Amino acid sequence: MSQEAQHQTDVSHIAPREKAEILSQALPYIRKYHGKTIVIKYGGNAMTDPALQQDFAEDVVLLKLVGLNPVVVHGGGPQIEGALSRLGKKGHFIQGMRVTDEETMEVVEWVLAGQVQQDIVGLINVAGGKAVGLTGRDGGMIRAKKLKMVDKDDPAKEHDVGQVGDIVSIDPSVVKALQDDQFIPVISPIGFGEHNESYNINADVVAGKLAEVLKAEKLVLLTNTPGVLDKAGNLLTDLSAREIDGLFADGTLSGGMLPKIASALDAAKSGVNAVHIIDGRVPHSMLLEILSDQAYGTMIRSH
């Protein structure tokens, strides 16, 4: 563990009275969200830095122990990239989307549903939770179809990006059964088509849709940015769905944040009470965002 991370996790310098104060401040939030579902999209640095991985696992276990129902959806872009390059396969992208042929899809499946998912499950179990790994195939959870990708300059033209999927429907019954039984579901964003073919689906999209069908209280998206920034680079901590539409219109929002924000916006418009886009590089940012009145990222309100 780095010196800095050690300093951040060492709480011996905090007086007992202050510790009690910190805990009592969390109480109203624990009471408010008790029994509620929180869908967490896990990605970015939080997923690749060992100290942050451990913080994340501990946070998820703590949320479960105080009566919330966390559901984790993970990505794995860098890990897929690493596996493909070890096989001598070069990733090919169209408009930011990985072209996924049959061989690439096999790699995606064994990296996401194997290595990455089981790493997360293991970390949560070691931290004292009971995690169970699932893909969209389990319990017939995520039905998908081939994503139709329209050219950004010529709407009449479509690109074939292979086995990249669009969600047709989500059946959350397997997730609900696990939640009711004290388990923490950890989900890989892989869906299946009508001919049993596999599809790689954007993890932000899966997290957003799952939050909708589970009627989640919150959707939390961990990123490598402080949240949504305005044109001057200042953090926008509290936004309504309407304000987000305005940021799209004037070009403040663009690039890699687009799929994230689009999923967040859909979820907020479809009944998820609040969506939080937070900085996964800050230790325990998820706990700070959910169980305190500190804003550690951007909250998008449904109302």
Side-chain angles (χ1 to χ4, degrees):
M1 196 185 285
S2 71
Q3 205 96 44
E4 185 190 2
Q6 208 151 16
H7 172 69
Q8 280 162 329
T9 50
D10 177 21
V11 292
S12 56
H13 61 285
I14 301 176
R17 184 181 288 274
E18 283 174 21
K19 283 183 190 166
E21 187 65 36
I22 292 165
L23 287 170
S24 68
Q25 277 182 9
L27 184 62
Y29 297 94
I30 294 172
R31 191 182 292 132
K32 185 177 176 185
Y33 303 133
H34 193 276
K36 301 276 172 55
T37 294
I38 294 191
V39 175
I40 302 151
K41 155 64 195 333
Y42 180 45
N45 279 45
M47 203 170 156
T48 52
D49 174 313
L52 292 171
Q53 286 174 338
Q54 200 172 340
D55 286 347
F56 174 79
E58 287 168 2
D59 288 1
V60 169
V61 172
L62 191 142
L63 290 174
K64 186 73 177 173
L65 289 174
V66 297
L68 285 72
N69 275 324
V71 175
V72 178
V73 177
H74 66 86
Q79 292 90 334
I80 292 167
E81 207 51 62
L84 287 170
S85 67
R86 284 200 299 276
L87 294 174
K89 229 174 140 52
K90 188 88 190 80
H92 179 45
F93 292 83
I94 297 176
Q95 289 177 196
M97 191 73 78
R98 181 190 300 281
V99 178
T100 308
D101 58 20
E102 212 169 314
E103 194 185 9
T104 303
M105 189 64 220
E106 276 181 31
V107 175
V108 167
E109 285 201 84
W110 61 253
V111 171
L112 289 183
Q115 172 202 346
V116 174
Q117 183 194 78
Q118 289 308 304
D119 278 352
I120 301 165
V121 165
L123 282 162
I124 292 172
N125 291 345
V126 167
K130 293 202 289 187
V132 175
L134 302 166
T135 75
R137 287 185 169 280
D138 292 301
M141 188 182 358
I142 306 173
R143 289 183 183 274
K145 62 179 184 194
K146 191 177 171 71
L147 179 79
K148 285 185 169 27
M149 191 176 207
V150 178
D151 187 86
K152 62 180 192 310
D153 302 318
D154 177 4
K157 189 176 160 196
E158 260 184 27
H159 296 284
D160 185 349
V161 285
Q163 288 176 256
V164 176
D166 216 348
I167 296 171
V168 173
S169 63
I170 292 188
D171 176 349
S173 49
V174 65
V175 175
K176 287 180 172 167
L178 287 168
Q179 280 186 312
D180 294 345
D181 223 358
Q182 292 310 302
F183 291 104
I184 298 166
V186 175
I187 298 163
S188 304
I190 294 163
F192 65 97
E194 55 180 342
H195 304 298
N196 197 29
E197 69 277 29
S198 293
Y199 286 107
N200 181 17
I201 307 170
N202 179 302
D204 293 315
V205 173
V206 171
K209 279 276 179 283
L210 192 61
E212 286 173 34
V213 297
L214 286 170
K215 299 184 170 49
E217 174 71 23
K218 290 181 182 296
L219 167 64
V220 178
L221 302 168
L222 289 169
T223 64
N224 280 348
T225 64
V228 178
L229 307 175
D230 67 13
K231 281 186 165 156
N234 303 309
L235 179 66
L236 299 166
T237 55
D238 193 358
L239 293 168
S240 65
R242 185 175 297 145
E243 286 168 319
I244 289 271
D245 284 333
L247 293 173
F248 270 122
D250 73 6
T252 302
L253 291 175
S254 59
M257 274 306 245
L258 284 176
K260 225 173 243 350
I261 303 278
S263 304
L265 197 53
D266 283 349
K269 286 177 174 174
S270 307
V272 177
N273 276 341
V275 182
H276 301 264
I277 297 173
I278 62 173
D279 196 338
R281 300 167 302 181
V282 175
H284 300 295
S285 57
M286 189 162 68
L287 279 191
L288 295 164
E289 182 74 26
I290 296 170
L291 298 181
S292 79
D293 46 15
Q294 259 326 129
Y296 269 82
T298 301
M299 178 166 81
I300 300 168
R301 286 167 290 117
S302 57
H303 326 298

